[in-house]
Amino acid sequence: MIDIFEVRDLISHMRKVGSDTQACEVKEAAQGLPKSIGETISAFSNMSGGLIMLGLSEKQNFALVPGFDSQSVFRAAGGSRQHDARRAHEN
């Protein structure tokens, strides 16, 4: 599992190189779960895996996307608050 420090370092690296990487794909997702998410997951599954970061803008130097709603994207991906709460309780 990736921790917050690794996320910070990845974002810093992407800012330096000016793009996302083969191992880390950035998607704005301001309008919800991106339609291209399946293609990204498929590409990562055909390689050695990867990380998808939602809510960041590559065009804006990897800044947070205004209006990004993580809970809405989570629900669109098939998640639910009940599942999330149950998982937190199990840990």
Side-chain angles (χ1 to χ4, degrees):
M1 177 168 244
I2 191 166
D3 66 34
I4 191 70
F5 301 108
E6 291 171 299
V7 170
R8 182 196 62 204
D9 291 345
L10 272 171
I11 294 170
S12 178
H13 173 73
M14 290 184 292
R15 285 178 174 152
K16 286 178 188 170
V17 299
S19 68
D20 48 17
T21 68
Q22 286 186 331
C24 185
E25 177 77 15
V26 171
K27 301 209 176 275
E28 291 192 12
Q31 305 301 317
L33 191 64
K35 293 184 187 335
S36 63
I37 198 80
E39 294 172 20
T40 302
I41 292 170
S42 178
F44 280 153
S45 69
N46 289 323
M47 298 183 343
S48 58
L51 177 69
I52 302 170
M53 289 189 193
L54 303 176
L56 293 178
S57 173
E58 185 175 353
K59 297 173 192 167
Q60 300 295 321
N61 199 31
F62 301 93
L64 294 174
V65 174
F68 173 70
D69 181 357
S70 62
Q71 289 299 315
S72 174
V73 171
F74 178 72
R75 286 189 297 276
S80 69
R81 286 183 176 260
Q82 181 181 20
H83 170 76
D84 198 33
R86 183 173 48 241
R87 193 168 154 221
H89 178 69
E90 292 170 357
N91 294 329

